[in-house]
Amino acid sequence: MDQPDLAAVTHQHVAFDDGMALDCGMALGRLVVAYRTYGTLNASRSNAVLVCHALTGDQYVAETHPVTGKGGWWDMVVGPGLPVDTDRYFVICANVLGGCMGSTGPRSPRDGAAPGVLWGTDFPPVTIRDMVRAQKRLIDHLGIARLFAVIGGSMGGMQVLEWAASYPESVFAAVPVATAAYHSAQNIAFNEVGRQSLFADPDWRGGRYWESGSVPARGLAVARMVAHITYLSEQALTRKFGRRVRGGAAAGDLALFGDMFEVESYLRHQGSTFVRRFDANSYLTITRATDYFDLAAEHDGNLSAAFAGTRTRFCIISFSSDWLYPTAESRAVARALNRAAANVSFVEIASDKGHDAFLLDEPDFHRTLAGFLAGCAEHAGLPE
Amino acid sequence: MDQPDLAAVTHQHVAFDDGMALDCGMALGRLVVAYRTYGTLNASRSNAVLVCHALTGDQYVAETHPVTGKGGWWDMVVGPGLPVDTDRYFVICANVLGGCMGSTGPRSPRDGAAPGVLWGTDFPPVTIRDMVRAQKRLIDHLGIARLFAVIGGSMGGMQVLEWAASYPESVFAAVPVATAAYHSAQNIAFNEVGRQSLFADPDWRGGRYWESGSVPARGLAVARMVAHITYLSEQALTRKFGRRVRGGAAAGDLALFGDMFEVESYLRHQGSTFVRRFDANSYLTITRATDYFDLAAEHDGNLSAAFAGTRTRFCIISFSSDWLYPTAESRAVARALNRAAANVSFVEIASDKGHDAFLLDEPDFHRTLAGFLAGCAEHAGLPE
């Protein structure tokens, strides 16, 4: 398996040797937060924007990725003159706790163990709230008392909601995109298929694959394939692939296991490229964190209570063809915010691109984001 | 793996020693069609109803299953006094070509090979039209010139459409339920995930698992899990499971790999029980047949042409929350039939149970089916 040694790549980071307590009751003895920044922090430290990444994203938002060599995952959104304008804002993005791009996670040295022993599957379960706590440590370290904005899509949006709920005084504006305040049974079910697929791979070796230098590539690829289907709408799949077959194969060629339909070839490619850049134990840890997420449950079942008295300005954005986190779930968040008398806008972007729309060229989305931030900057008295 | 020896179970069947030609250009030297019947064929042989089963169904429609010991898969629909009334109709159901309940398939002896050698992955690829051809042989064998009705849901509905297109004079009434005239890119994508999951299982052994008495149980279970999610609506999953956790585990127990959410436990159960009754090579053969299905493509891209001049009476039934074969795809079939000036009713049943609704207690569906058949019986001059 041609996965580069992910642990050998160095990432900009900060280490907290006093560690961090976790929701599960355990504590990490040492906490590392890997991050990237773009733009310049102004003198009053008032122009910081935290971008929160999704399940398989990372801190390389707007630059070449050190492992894949590809462009940043949000380089259409973050950069000079773009909706999150790095000529104006100081943009920060941290690899989530549990991730595999430098922040503490299953590939990190295990607390109190001999050198070379990693956490692996013994890494403690983490929650979205734990991820946000780790980010708060970074923000404190950077000397930023209040973030001008916290922005993120999908699992990044869960972090945005958790930031607003946990640190309301530290968030001037919040933009949760294509997300929900809890994971539904269907969301959990799809994640569980991915996990079982990983466990079924003999190279999984009970989660200790790293000891033998192996990678549960086939199981992780299947997990990615099923997840990827949920990121796209049926319309997008039909438009991109329809029933087209690949290469010389004609519709009459009934080759049972050949690369027949283009959509199959595409999914296999998605699976195999993912395996090269992601750690299987991180995939388990992070999917589990999304399954646990239920912001109302953290507030006695009352989602409005999570936002009681908030002064944060919210812009909630959903996409009409997103069936993973449907508009109805964004609307439920907007209603809860309305009940809490919060300042909230809610925009459903018409798009047939499915959940992935937040990562794609969607001018209406980009205009909405730019406009909301500009309005907030005016209210915040941020210099142009 | 505690899979019973599926080949050791005997099934009522008919063997055609002249074999059958297949769409792929190959031919089977011997064709076995396993089937069950319910009710009595009348003297004029005019009361026969063919029920076509779905992907993982079989001929045991309305009686105890010989492998699982469970009731028939449609015993709410087929039986005395039920919508498909066995006091009035003679009901036939055949295991599909490529299946594993007695009809010729990957577990059958390979043509021209030594005794004990099975087809396995070398079984020729089959199409829905091949399945219907095999059923036609059975119907001819039973001396039935015209079926009063052909009924089926999901892949069974594809067979219904193919029957009406291939043998219009042999089908008085056709009821395709929760189906489509072709497999969409999304349908193919989900099937492909299941196949890749099977291939990733070391017990798959290149499809020759039967030689060593092993079963690719984990891969097949994951395939079943992902398919099962597509059979249910998000609402049904939420109603049945929501975010409830199992046993003594509380929401605060963040056990990473425990049986935490009920929906996970349910899916694992679905996966493991399926493995006990189904053959992996059959799963590949049959999912591939559904992917190939494109009735319009068989008629130069014109779905109406498939039904030109038809005198069959159609009742097309869809379910509002079915996202695997959405109502829009049934509507497209109804439109094509309208363009062919066919006699067609189209009913969308309001249900939140998803694709599986056709197998469940849905009184509106059952009433629609019973009413349509009663009306057709009158037109056909069938004695009460």
Side-chain angles (χ1 to χ4, degrees):
Chain A
M1 179 52 225
D2 59 343
Q3 187 184 60
D5 183 359
L6 296 178
V9 183
T10 54
H11 305 276
Q12 178 187 358
H13 65 273
V14 55
F16 302 98
D17 287 327
D18 56 344
M20 190 177 81
L22 300 172
D23 273 344
C24 67
M26 291 186 262
L28 294 167
R30 185 168 186 261
L31 171 70
V32 175
V33 181
Y35 67 101
R36 295 295 295 163
T37 67
Y38 309 90
T40 309
L41 187 61
N42 64 14
S44 59
R45 299 175 177 269
S46 61
N47 69 333
V49 171
L50 179 69
V51 168
C52 302
H53 71 73
L55 185 61
T56 64
D58 53 43
Q59 67 271 38
Y60 298 98
V61 175
E63 64 191 298
T64 303
H65 194 279
V67 174
T68 66
K70 292 188 180 169
W73 59 267
W74 230 11
D75 57 9
M76 264 187 279
V77 169
V78 176
L82 293 178
V84 182
D85 187 349
T86 51
D87 287 339
R88 186 170 199 192
Y89 308 118
F90 176 63
V91 174
I92 308 158
C93 183
N95 185 216
V96 294
L97 181 69
C100 53
M101 285 294 148
S103 288
T104 299
R107 283 196 95 95
S108 302
R110 181 171 181 158
D111 284 351
V117 175
L118 310 184
W119 277 107
T121 48
D122 294 327
F123 189 71
V126 301
T127 62
I128 299 290
R129 187 157 58 180
D130 290 328
M131 293 177 181
V132 166
R133 277 192 193 109
Q135 290 162 3
K136 182 68 162 64
R137 296 292 297 273
L138 169 66
I139 300 307
D140 291 345
H141 164 78
L142 296 174
I144 296 164
R146 193 181 70 174
L147 291 161
F148 166 63
V150 185
I151 304 173
S154 197
M155 187 185 83
M158 297 177 185
Q159 294 162 59
V160 174
L161 294 172
E162 190 71 63
W163 260 99
S166 295
Y167 308 107
E169 298 305 317
S170 300
V171 183
F172 185 78
V175 189
V177 182
T179 195
Y182 67 96
H183 240 208
S184 72
Q186 192 186 61
N187 295 149
I188 296 168
F190 277 118
N191 272 349
E192 174 65 3
V193 167
R195 289 187 289 258
Q196 290 299 323
S197 152
L198 203 46
F199 298 158
D201 189 324
D203 286 329
W204 162 248
R205 299 170 198 264
R208 306 188 76 81
Y209 51 90
W210 48 274
E211 289 181 349
S212 55
S214 67
V215 170
R218 303 200 73 160
L220 190 56
V222 172
R224 176 62 168 179
M225 287 170 67
V226 66
H228 200 81
I229 300 174
T230 68
Y231 301 156
L232 303 177
S233 66
E234 190 189 338
Q235 305 98 295
L237 280 167
T238 296
R239 191 182 55 240
K240 284 172 89 157
F241 308 107
R243 292 181 51 81
R244 283 194 306 279
V245 294
R246 243 178 93 84
D253 292 349
L254 300 175
L256 190 58
F257 302 134
D259 254 333
M260 181 154 170
F261 292 104
E262 283 191 3
V263 67
E264 295 175 316
S265 158
Y266 170 77
L267 282 178
R268 289 177 203 177
H269 176 76
Q270 290 293 328
S272 63
T273 57
F274 178 64
V275 167
R276 281 186 216 117
R277 69 175 178 88
F278 219 83
D279 176 66
N281 277 314
S282 274
Y283 194 78
L284 292 178
T285 297
I286 300 176
T287 58
R288 213 46 168 150
T290 61
D291 287 348
Y292 296 145
F293 186 59
D294 185 352
L295 189 55
E298 296 174 17
H299 299 267
D300 297 324
N302 181 353
L303 188 56
S304 286
F307 306 112
T310 186
R311 287 183 294 179
T312 301
R313 292 166 180 267
F314 290 84
C315 181
I316 296 171
I317 300 174
S318 71
F319 297 93
S320 56
S321 59
D322 183 351
W323 59 278
L324 191 63
Y325 300 111
T327 287
E329 298 187 0
S330 280
R331 195 174 285 124
V333 176
R335 284 211 195 92
L337 283 163
N338 281 330
R339 284 195 302 273
N343 186 326
V344 54
S345 311
F346 168 49
V347 181
E348 183 190 45
I349 306 288
S351 163
D352 74 351
K353 292 177 186 157
H355 181 63
D356 253 7
F358 83 95
L359 296 170
L360 302 173
D361 187 18
E362 281 287 356
D364 279 356
F365 165 47
H366 297 167
R367 271 191 294 270
T368 300
L369 182 56
F372 175 73
L373 291 178
C376 288
E378 197 175 316
H379 283 285
L382 215 61
E384 297 246 349
Chain B
M1 180 53 228
D2 57 346
Q3 187 184 59
D5 183 359
L6 296 177
V9 184
T10 55
H11 304 276
Q12 179 187 357
H13 66 272
V14 54
F16 302 98
D17 287 327
D18 57 343
M20 191 178 81
L22 300 173
D23 273 344
C24 67
M26 290 185 264
L28 293 169
R30 184 167 187 262
L31 172 70
V32 175
V33 181
Y35 67 102
R36 294 295 294 163
T37 67
Y38 309 89
T40 309
L41 187 61
N42 64 14
S44 57
R45 299 175 176 269
S46 62
N47 70 333
V49 171
L50 179 69
V51 168
C52 301
H53 71 74
L55 185 61
T56 64
D58 53 43
Q59 67 271 38
Y60 297 98
V61 176
E63 64 191 299
T64 303
H65 194 281
V67 174
T68 67
K70 291 188 180 169
W73 59 268
W74 231 10
D75 57 10
M76 266 186 279
V77 168
V78 175
L82 294 178
V84 182
D85 187 350
T86 51
D87 288 339
R88 185 169 199 192
Y89 308 117
F90 175 65
V91 175
I92 307 158
C93 184
N95 185 216
V96 293
L97 181 69
C100 53
M101 284 293 149
S103 289
T104 299
R107 284 196 93 97
S108 302
R110 182 171 181 157
D111 284 350
V117 175
L118 310 184
W119 278 107
T121 49
D122 294 326
F123 189 71
V126 301
T127 63
I128 298 291
R129 188 158 55 181
D130 290 327
M131 292 176 181
V132 166
R133 277 193 193 108
Q135 289 162 3
K136 182 69 163 63
R137 296 291 296 273
L138 170 66
I139 299 307
D140 290 346
H141 165 78
L142 295 175
I144 296 164
R146 192 181 71 174
L147 292 161
F148 166 63
V150 185
I151 305 172
S154 197
M155 187 184 84
M158 296 177 186
Q159 295 162 58
V160 173
L161 294 172
E162 191 72 63
W163 259 99
S166 296
Y167 307 107
E169 297 305 317
S170 299
V171 183
F172 185 77
V175 189
V177 181
T179 194
Y182 68 96
H183 240 206
S184 73
Q186 192 187 61
N187 296 149
I188 296 169
F190 278 117
N191 272 350
E192 174 65 3
V193 167
R195 288 187 289 257
Q196 290 298 324
S197 153
L198 202 47
F199 298 157
D201 189 325
D203 287 329
W204 162 247
R205 298 171 199 264
R208 306 189 77 81
Y209 51 88
W210 48 274
E211 289 182 350
S212 56
S214 67
V215 170
R218 303 200 73 160
L220 190 56
V222 171
R224 176 62 168 179
M225 286 171 67
V226 67
H228 200 81
I229 300 175
T230 69
Y231 301 155
L232 304 176
S233 66
E234 189 188 338
Q235 305 97 294
L237 279 166
T238 297
R239 190 181 56 239
K240 284 173 88 157
F241 308 107
R243 292 181 50 80
R244 283 195 306 279
V245 294
R246 243 180 93 83
D253 292 348
L254 300 175
L256 190 58
F257 302 135
D259 253 335
M260 184 154 171
F261 291 104
E262 283 191 3
V263 66
E264 295 175 316
S265 159
Y266 170 78
L267 282 179
R268 288 177 205 177
H269 176 74
Q270 291 294 327
S272 63
T273 56
F274 178 63
V275 167
R276 280 187 217 117
R277 70 176 177 86
F278 218 82
D279 176 66
N281 277 315
S282 275
Y283 194 77
L284 292 178
T285 297
I286 300 176
T287 58
R288 215 43 169 151
T290 61
D291 287 349
Y292 295 145
F293 187 60
D294 185 352
L295 190 55
E298 294 174 17
H299 298 267
D300 296 324
N302 180 353
L303 189 54
S304 287
F307 306 112
T310 186
R311 287 183 294 177
T312 302
R313 294 167 178 266
F314 290 85
C315 181
I316 297 172
I317 300 174
S318 72
F319 297 93
S320 56
S321 59
D322 183 351
W323 59 277
L324 190 64
Y325 300 112
T327 287
E329 298 186 0
S330 280
R331 194 174 286 123
V333 176
R335 283 211 197 94
L337 284 163
N338 281 329
R339 284 195 302 273
N343 186 328
V344 54
S345 312
F346 169 49
V347 181
E348 183 190 44
I349 306 287
S351 162
D352 74 351
K353 292 177 187 158
H355 181 64
D356 253 5
F358 82 95
L359 296 169
L360 302 174
D361 187 18
E362 281 287 357
D364 278 355
F365 166 47
H366 297 169
R367 269 192 294 271
T368 300
L369 183 56
F372 175 73
L373 291 178
C376 287
E378 197 174 316
H379 283 285
L382 216 61
E384 297 247 347

